[in-house]
Amino acid sequence: MADDWGAALALDQRSLGGFWSDTLWRGELGRPGALAFGHDDGGRLLSIACGWVVVDELHITVLATDPDWRRRGLGRAVLQALAAAAVPRGCTRATLEVASGNGPALALYASAGFRTAGRRRGYYTNGDDALIQWRSLQGAGDGLCPPAL
Ligand SMILES: CC(C)(COP(=O)(O)OP(=O)(O)OC[C@H]1O[C@@H](n2cnc3c(N)ncnc32)[C@H](O)[C@@H]1OP(=O)(O)O)[C@@H](O)C(=O)NCCC(=O)NCCS
């Protein structure tokens, strides 16, 4: 995945409006402890999930699906792959931050078992709060993803 920063950047621009620069994507995908999973159609990256292994926690940094490919299960699939890869690396729980107004992401994370444990009020420029969410990865067994994901 370390060579795919260009594809990740293009998807980021289509899906997230440029969350990270090319320099940040290059650094992210080459960073020790970073995990990234993507789904492509043979030429174009359609969905991506990235995270960092921090001791026994998976810190999910990016989840995005191409706007033309949403509601086809790709976001859930790459999130599942990320969580499954984190378990054999010693992660027992996963965390992420999501904007309080991001309905699609909140619905996906809720269906994947994430629960809000903290809130940064007015964190985003549009006034949305940042919700800090967690879920356990224990019970996954053999690197398999928890059933709820
Ligand atoms: C959030 C995002 C990654 C979801 O990707 P996706 O590939 O469309 O998600 P999936 O198709 O795997 O959806 C899985 C489940 O999430 C929920 N969900 C996803 N999008 C939804 C929507 N627009 N409305 C309601 N529920 C939604 C549903 O429960 C869905 O299951 P279902 O389709 O069987 O009902 C995508 O909307 C996206 O890229 N958004 C912009 C970037 C972003 O906000 N990323 C998250 C930052 S924290």
Side-chain angles (χ1 to χ4, degrees):
M1 191 86 201
D3 296 335
D4 290 347
W5 65 268
L9 176 66
L11 176 58
D12 174 354
Q13 289 172 342
R14 285 197 302 279
S15 185
L16 290 159
F19 180 62
W20 281 341
S21 66
D22 56 350
T23 305
L24 285 174
W25 272 110
R26 249 190 268 220
E28 173 68 16
L29 298 181
R31 172 189 173 125
L35 294 175
F37 286 87
H39 180 97
D40 69 42
D41 65 354
R44 194 161 64 119
L45 186 63
L46 302 178
S47 192
I48 191 168
C50 303
W52 303 334
V53 173
V54 181
V55 192
D56 59 351
E57 296 173 352
L58 171 65
H59 290 219
I60 297 167
T61 52
V62 172
L63 177 69
T65 297
D66 187 297
D68 294 337
W69 287 80
R70 290 183 184 161
R71 295 307 291 268
R72 303 184 198 201
L74 297 184
R76 187 192 300 280
V78 290
L79 182 62
Q80 181 171 359
L82 186 70
V87 171
R89 288 169 170 80
C91 292
T92 58
R93 55 192 195 142
T95 185
L96 55 83
E97 282 188 22
V98 57
S100 55
N102 190 342
L106 286 169
L108 171 49
Y109 297 143
S111 74
F114 283 88
R115 299 292 175 259
T116 298
R119 177 185 294 264
R120 294 190 176 98
R121 293 196 187 278
Y123 183 79
Y124 294 99
T125 51
N126 68 355
D128 276 0
D129 297 343
L131 305 182
I132 300 153
Q133 299 197 326
W134 289 88
R135 69 150 295 162
S136 172
L137 295 175
Q138 286 183 314
D142 301 322
L144 296 175
C145 206
L149 270 175

